[in-house]
Amino acid sequence: MRRMKFLIMNGAGNRFAVFDARQQPDFALSDEQVINICTPGSKVMGKKGADQLIIIRHPKSSEADIFMEIRNQKGFEVNACGNATRCIAWLFMRDAETENCTVETNADLLHCALKDTYQVAVDMGRPRLDWSEIPLKEPMHTHHIDVKIGPIDNPILHNPGAVSMGNPHCVFFVEDFERAKPQLVGPMVEFYPLFPEQTNVGFAKVESKEKIRLKVWERGVGMTMACGTGACAAVVAAHRQKRTNRKVTVIVDGGVLHIHWREEDDHVIMTGPIELEKEGEV
């Protein structure tokens, strides 16, 4: 029986089951296997379960150091996960004894740098802001999109921004999380007909030009302790609506992320923590 390196990691509380398949290129998991591993109470992940499952592979691009396959709780493959990118970059940099690396995903090549012992910065690239790139079902401006929750003449939530950070995001700006009801609204908006590939749903409370509190309903997952691409999308959407500056601290339930949407090259830089909870073999 072949053994494989296995880790449990989290980025600001966003929890991952990680399989290192670089020595076993034929390694694959069915949707059902992914679901079973990620489910809270599973033998692999224990009581908390996993928000995503990551398979590390050799890169496809000659410009990358490592490839990251991302599967959500429902078993589906997705293109981007900012918190997981930090975790996998940290792991590679630790083993390679370097302070920089490039992580390849289905969405992009992401350049990463070690900022402190357990802090990693990721260049998430340029946000995709055209309706066709997010994607939306029909042409429209994406600063504000026509999605309303509640009575049509007095909606509880309205005028969210739409952004893609390699995956689609719809970001509402709220004054009160209890009134916004993310756990009820999130699944409704995830499958809203305007989003042909479904969407992640952010609920951002702007506390100042430099600070946002954020909750995210992740597509195919549900409410999570943190969402890296969601934090990036929230800052981009907030700045486009003139609510914040380009450099913002985003507080999520699992920790703190620092987001900088650089003016000089339009790239979004995300810096945040990683934690290695367990390392062994399966």
Side-chain angles (χ1 to χ4, degrees):
M1 183 178 293
R2 300 172 74 182
R3 307 293 292 174
M4 174 176 290
K5 189 175 181 180
F6 169 74
L7 308 94
I8 298 175
M9 304 185 76
N10 81 72
N14 204 185
R15 202 162 189 252
F16 311 106
V18 181
F19 292 86
D20 187 346
R22 283 176 288 181
Q23 305 308 315
Q24 299 185 35
D26 58 343
F27 176 76
L29 292 172
S30 68
D31 292 354
E32 184 179 4
Q33 287 173 315
V34 172
I35 293 167
N36 289 339
I37 291 168
C38 292
T39 298
S42 73
K43 290 182 180 179
V44 176
M45 291 301 297
K47 185 178 178 180
K48 293 181 181 178
D51 298 313
Q52 313 263 23
L53 183 146
I54 309 299
I55 301 175
I56 301 173
R57 301 190 186 277
H58 289 298
K60 302 172 185 178
S61 168
S62 60
E63 298 177 27
D65 295 299
I66 198 167
F67 180 85
M68 182 174 73
E69 179 183 320
I70 312 162
R71 307 277 289 278
N72 67 21
Q73 283 182 341
K74 302 289 172 55
F76 304 132
E77 189 168 1
V78 296
N79 292 334
C81 180
N83 288 319
T85 301
R86 290 202 317 280
C87 289
I88 300 310
W90 180 89
L91 189 64
F92 178 87
M93 289 186 287
R94 181 198 68 173
D95 294 345
E97 298 183 346
T98 182
E99 294 186 354
N100 295 275
C101 74
T102 300
V103 176
E104 182 180 11
T105 69
N106 285 332
D108 217 338
L109 297 178
L110 303 174
H111 303 293
C112 309
L114 189 67
K115 292 300 181 181
D116 204 343
T117 305
Y118 295 104
Q119 288 274 332
V120 175
V122 182
D123 183 342
M124 299 294 290
R126 295 181 178 89
R128 299 161 177 84
L129 303 175
D130 187 79
W131 71 272
S132 63
E133 297 175 309
I134 291 169
L136 303 179
K137 190 175 181 181
E138 57 192 63
M140 64 181 68
H141 294 294
T142 59
H143 289 73
H144 304 84
I145 59 174
D146 189 20
V147 177
K148 295 183 177 69
I149 304 297
I152 195 166
D153 58 341
N154 187 28
I156 296 170
L157 299 174
H158 59 94
N159 290 336
V163 179
S164 173
M165 292 302 309
N167 53 1
H169 289 267
C170 174
V171 183
F172 290 99
F173 294 96
V174 307
E175 295 182 3
D176 183 347
F177 289 123
E178 188 173 340
R179 186 166 187 262
K181 295 180 169 52
Q183 288 184 306
L184 294 178
V185 173
M188 293 167 50
V189 177
E190 177 185 354
F191 292 97
Y192 194 74
L194 182 62
F195 304 101
E197 297 179 5
Q198 296 149 40
T199 188
N200 300 282
V201 190
F203 302 83
K205 182 180 179 182
V206 177
E207 298 198 339
S208 73
K209 289 285 188 178
E210 293 83 27
K211 187 163 111 177
I212 287 175
R213 290 190 178 272
L214 179 70
K215 295 183 183 292
V216 179
W217 175 275
E218 286 197 45
R219 176 182 60 167
V221 179
M223 299 301 300
T224 58
M225 296 291 287
C227 178
T229 57
C232 296
V235 172
V236 170
H239 185 72
R240 295 181 83 206
Q241 293 189 13
K242 303 187 186 307
R243 297 174 184 268
T244 66
N245 298 330
R246 285 178 169 263
K247 206 170 188 177
V248 180
T249 296
V250 179
I251 302 171
V252 294
D253 289 342
V256 177
L257 299 171
H258 301 281
I259 310 299
H260 183 193
W261 185 16
R262 293 193 307 215
E263 192 166 10
E264 61 268 25
D265 60 5
D266 207 33
H267 284 219
V268 179
I269 310 301
M270 174 186 60
T271 304
I274 73 94
E275 182 180 357
L276 175 60
E277 297 183 26
K278 179 181 178 180
E279 186 171 9
E281 289 186 336
V282 293

